[in-house]
């Protein structure tokens, strides 16, 4: 039986064993590229997409549509604008918690121009934009989403705060890719494309807003709903702030934590006021449990005085979140010096004066490196007029503690000012306008590297040209190492200081509250008190 042999396919005639696979790979690559290219930009019809589809019942939508009306007028009829030489925004940022995609579609629909949405973030940016320009052939809106809400995050359809959006959304592109997009929107300005970029993340909005012509917020938060969600997340201080906004009937960002419930406008319902008072109570309990140190100072000759000192420690529930560093908490030397002040009069006073209710009355005190302010507040409670100084970021904490202890400051006074030691030759007016009797400081050098700045500052302040010329210095030094002690003493000698060690026989304070994360205990066993005099005292100085 004769076998019938099938004739070869002419289409593959002459192809080598290597050429065929190469051709198949090329064809597959072409097909994939064709499919991918078609997926770059989605062109949607403008039919039925108008501002009427953007509900005014959502807070903030009505205001956003009013802001976008001029852009719509230009897209509808650009000639009058161009004849007037107007520059119409072509790069628009939509931000906020509202539906930004819906708003972008409405812009296109109201303007009767095509709407295009970038749905691929992998192709070269210029290639995507060129493809959009080719498809449009006319002015059109090109929408670019920079982030999206994660699918695993459910917020119940509610609008979000900027902080919520940062936590529940993910970026759709890298920072490098975002920079390319922003540059390309500039390169294609004459193309007829109206770029609408959208983000709900505050960090992205801050970056992008510098590169666009117009930024419009879409939607704003219903403050009462935001507050309830924040309370559920234990973000107490933000919740109290949102409840204040809700009770005042505003959506702005002006907030005064000292406004009481009774001072709120009548827009607040009884339920909202109750929620605010409950939230304030929770915040107060949080501060008392995690931030406040209650100190009973043994007062010489009179009843003990109790101070409440708020500390800035790691925390997600309020603004005292530990970003102030070591100066935001109470250290052993600060407690020891506060106790010394409470049991002893100022330099030069008699022992009988120390037993009075205000042994420091009339004494002008400048405190350096106040931190939480425990030393300065103790001096003010003893009758002194105190200026507490530290870096600017620590001033709000000291001011808060002055307010917390105002009932203990009956004769003296305490105020705060920012004072950078590097600018000691040009101190702030609060420092330079006054004549100071005593300079107080506690634990202001931690390593030998800190010694020069501290001693230079001290020498200039109490020197003949300084703001505290001739004042007596009482410094509580924490002896961390013998080398540090020797370095500090040597530097003081170079500047002409003389000193004597004061007896550390003060009763230890009784303190209750969270221990400072910066020191293992509140014991003052390693604290040394020095009374220092500069080389150029004012003659006959009496306190």
């Amino acid at each position: 039986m004769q076998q019938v042999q099938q004739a070869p396919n002419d289409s593959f005639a002459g192809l080598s064993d290597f050429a065929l696979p190469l051709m198949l790979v090329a064809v597959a690559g072409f097909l994939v590229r064709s499919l991918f290219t078609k997926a770059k930009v989605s062109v949607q019809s403008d039919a039925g997409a108008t501002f009427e589809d953007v509900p005014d019942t959502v807070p903030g939508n009505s205001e956003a549509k009013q802001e976008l009306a001029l852009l719509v007028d230009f897209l509808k009829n650009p000639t009058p604008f161009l004849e007037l030489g107007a520059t119409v925004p072509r790069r628009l940022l939509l931000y906020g918690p509202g539906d930004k995609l819906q708003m972008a579609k409405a812009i296109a629909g109201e303007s009767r121009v095509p709407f295009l949405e970038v749905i691929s973030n992998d192709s070269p940016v210029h290639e995507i934009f060129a493809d959009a320009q080719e498809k449009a052939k006319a002015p059109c809106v090109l929408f670019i989403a920079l982030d999206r809400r994660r699918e695993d995050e459910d917020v119940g359809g509610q609008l979000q705060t900027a902080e919520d959006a940062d936590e529940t959304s993910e970026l759709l592109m890298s920072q490098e890719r975002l920079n390319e997009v922003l540059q390309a929107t500039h390169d294609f300005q004459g193309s007829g494309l109206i770029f609408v970029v959208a983000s709900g993340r505050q960090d992205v909005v801050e970056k992008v807003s510098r590169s666009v012509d117009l930024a419009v917020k879409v939607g704003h938060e219903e403050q009462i709903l935001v507050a309830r969600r924040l309370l559920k997340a234990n973000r107490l201080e933000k919740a109290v702030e949102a409840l204040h906004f809700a009770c005042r009937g505003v959506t702005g960002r002006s907030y005064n934590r000292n406004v009481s419930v009774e001072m709120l406008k009548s827009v607040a319902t009884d339920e909202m006021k109750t929620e605010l008072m409950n939230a304030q109570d929770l915040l107060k309990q949080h501060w008392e449990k995690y931030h406040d140190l209650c100190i009973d100072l043994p007062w010489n000759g009179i009843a003990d005085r109790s101070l409440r000192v708020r500390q800035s420690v790691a925390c997600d529930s309020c603004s005292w979140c530990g970003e102030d560093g070591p100066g935001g908490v109470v250290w052993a030397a600060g407690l020891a010096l506060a106790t010394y002040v409470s049991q002893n009069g100022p330099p030069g006073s008699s022992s009988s004066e120390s037993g009075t209710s205000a042994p420091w009355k009339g004494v002008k005190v400048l405190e350096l490196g106040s931190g939480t302010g425990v030393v300065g507040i103790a001096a003010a409670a003893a009758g002194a007029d105190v200026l507490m100084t530290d870096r600017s970021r620590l001033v709000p904490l000291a001011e808060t503690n002055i307010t917390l202890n105002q009932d203990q400051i009956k004769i003296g006074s305490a105020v705060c000012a920012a004072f950078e030691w590097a600018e000691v030759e040009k101190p702030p007016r609060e420092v330079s306008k006054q004549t100071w009797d005593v300079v107080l400081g506690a634990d202001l050098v931690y390593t030998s590297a800190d010694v020069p700045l501290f001693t230079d500052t001290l020498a200039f302040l109490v020197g003949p040209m300084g703001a505290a010329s001739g004042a007596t210095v009482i410094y509580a030094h924490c002896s961390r190492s013998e080398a540090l002690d020797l370095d500090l003493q040597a530097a003081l000698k170079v500047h002409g200081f003389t000193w004597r060690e004061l007896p550390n026989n003060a009763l230890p304070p009784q303190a209750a509250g969270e221990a400072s994360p910066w020191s293992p205990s509140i014991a003052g066993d390693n604290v040394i008190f020095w009374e220092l005099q500069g080389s150029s005292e004012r003659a006959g100085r009496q306190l």
Side-chain angles (χ1 to χ4, degrees):
M1 183 175 179
Q2 187 177 6
Q3 185 177 7
V4 179
Q5 187 174 10
Q6 186 175 1
N9 190 330
D10 292 340
S11 301
F12 297 97
L15 288 177
S16 68
D17 292 340
F18 296 101
L20 181 58
L22 290 174
M23 185 183 74
L24 292 175
V25 170
V27 171
F30 173 78
L31 292 174
V32 171
R33 180 173 175 80
S34 298
L35 291 171
F36 183 75
T37 301
K38 290 181 180 179
K40 286 180 194 171
V41 180
S42 172
V43 182
Q44 300 185 13
S45 170
D46 62 350
T50 66
F51 281 155
E52 291 184 359
D53 299 304
V54 180
D56 290 336
T57 53
V58 176
N61 277 354
S62 177
E63 294 88 339
K65 288 189 284 188
Q66 291 177 13
E67 289 189 64
L68 293 167
L70 183 63
L71 176 61
V72 168
D73 290 341
F74 166 73
L75 292 175
K76 281 183 178 178
N77 185 17
T79 302
F81 293 90
L82 297 176
E83 289 177 348
L84 292 172
T87 301
V88 180
R90 292 186 177 274
R91 295 180 297 175
L92 171 66
L93 168 64
L94 298 181
Y95 69 99
D99 191 336
K100 296 169 282 293
L101 174 60
Q102 182 186 45
M103 186 66 77
K105 290 179 179 179
I107 294 172
E110 287 285 337
S111 307
R112 296 189 291 272
V113 300
F115 173 83
L116 294 81
E117 179 184 1
V118 175
I119 58 175
S120 169
N121 283 310
D122 298 321
S123 298
V125 175
H126 276 70
E127 189 176 330
I128 294 177
F129 286 7
D131 187 59
Q133 184 180 2
E134 181 182 349
K135 282 181 167 61
K137 301 295 184 183
C140 69
V141 170
L142 178 61
F143 180 78
I144 309 166
L146 303 180
D147 50 66
R148 67 184 173 194
R149 184 178 299 167
R150 289 195 292 267
E151 294 180 359
D152 59 343
E153 295 288 349
D154 181 14
V155 294
Q158 299 173 350
L159 296 180
Q160 296 177 287
T161 63
E163 294 83 358
D164 290 329
D166 287 355
E167 295 175 1
T168 62
S169 63
E170 59 185 353
L171 290 172
L172 295 177
M173 59 186 71
S174 65
Q175 288 297 320
E176 182 179 359
R177 177 75 169 186
L178 176 58
N179 292 334
E180 291 180 15
V181 169
L182 296 177
Q183 179 59 45
T185 61
H186 177 78
D187 297 341
F188 278 78
Q189 279 194 98
S191 64
L193 296 173
I194 303 296
F195 297 97
V196 180
V197 295
S199 176
R201 292 176 58 97
Q202 191 164 355
D203 55 341
V204 176
V205 170
E206 290 175 357
K207 178 180 178 63
V208 174
S209 60
R210 298 189 291 267
S211 303
V212 298
D213 304 314
L214 178 66
V216 176
K217 185 174 184 178
V218 180
H220 61 65
E221 304 86 5
E222 284 283 5
Q223 295 293 338
I224 190 67
L225 299 179
V226 171
R228 289 166 182 167
R229 194 162 63 251
L230 290 169
L231 275 174
K232 187 176 180 180
N234 202 38
R235 292 161 65 183
L236 301 177
E237 192 161 6
K238 287 288 185 182
V240 170
E241 178 180 337
L243 282 165
H244 267 283
F245 284 134
C247 290
R248 290 162 54 195
V250 299
T251 59
R253 289 294 179 265
S254 175
Y255 169 60
N256 182 354
R257 73 179 69 194
N258 295 319
V259 174
S260 65
V261 174
E262 292 75 17
M263 296 168 62
L264 296 171
K265 294 182 179 179
S266 57
V267 69
T269 64
D270 290 341
E271 180 184 7
M272 292 164 67
K273 290 182 179 180
T274 299
E275 287 187 68
L276 175 57
M277 287 188 290
N278 290 339
Q280 288 174 327
D281 287 342
L282 287 174
L283 182 57
K284 181 180 178 181
Q285 292 169 22
H286 166 80
W287 282 333
E288 291 176 350
K289 181 176 181 180
Y290 296 106
H291 295 266
D292 292 358
L293 193 66
C294 297
I295 306 166
D296 291 328
L297 292 177
W299 226 261
N300 192 9
I302 59 174
D304 292 351
R305 285 177 174 166
S306 179
L307 302 183
R308 178 178 294 276
V309 181
R310 185 152 298 160
Q311 304 177 101
S312 181
V313 297
C315 175
D316 294 326
S317 298
C318 72
S319 59
W320 304 121
C321 54
E323 294 180 354
D324 300 318
V329 296
V330 175
W331 287 67
L335 277 177
L337 185 55
T339 305
Y340 178 87
V341 168
S342 71
Q343 292 192 281
N344 297 273
S349 62
S350 64
S351 58
S352 60
E353 293 175 314
S354 300
T356 64
S357 61
W360 288 68
K361 181 179 179 181
V363 179
K364 307 299 183 185
V365 173
L366 173 65
E367 185 188 7
L368 301 179
S370 299
T372 60
V374 60
V375 174
I377 293 170
D385 295 311
V386 184
L387 174 62
M388 297 153 50
T389 67
D390 211 316
R391 293 166 297 169
S392 57
R393 69 180 184 182
L394 282 163
V395 169
L397 180 60
E399 290 176 333
T400 296
N401 284 325
I402 290 173
T403 301
L404 288 175
N405 294 281
Q406 199 62 55
D407 60 334
Q408 297 292 338
I409 305 174
K410 304 191 181 296
I411 297 177
S413 63
V415 294
C416 300
F419 182 21
E420 297 291 342
W421 292 357
E423 301 173 0
V424 64
E425 296 186 11
K426 295 181 180 179
R429 186 173 180 273
E430 295 90 340
V431 174
S432 61
K433 71 179 181 179
Q434 184 63 264
T435 299
W436 304 105
D437 302 310
V438 177
V439 176
L440 296 177
D443 203 4
L444 301 179
V445 290
Y446 312 120
T447 67
S448 294
D450 301 324
V451 169
L453 181 58
F454 170 64
T455 54
D456 289 351
T457 300
L458 204 59
F460 187 86
L461 279 174
V462 302
M465 301 297 294
S469 177
T472 299
V473 180
I474 299 179
Y475 178 61
H477 173 63
C478 187
S479 182
R480 291 183 170 83
S481 69
E482 184 179 357
L484 177 59
D485 297 348
L486 293 175
D487 286 344
L488 179 55
Q489 292 177 22
L492 291 170
K493 287 180 180 178
V494 168
H495 284 290
F497 279 101
T498 58
W499 66 90
R500 67 185 182 98
E501 187 172 326
L502 300 174
N504 186 359
N505 56 3
L507 296 173
Q510 300 298 314
E514 292 292 311
S516 164
W518 299 99
S519 55
S521 71
I522 60 172
D525 297 340
N526 295 327
V527 177
I528 305 169
F529 296 125
W530 288 337
E531 182 180 289
L532 299 100
Q533 299 288 349
S535 59
S536 299
E537 295 181 38
R538 282 171 286 187
R541 181 66 176 273
Q542 296 293 326
L543 297 181

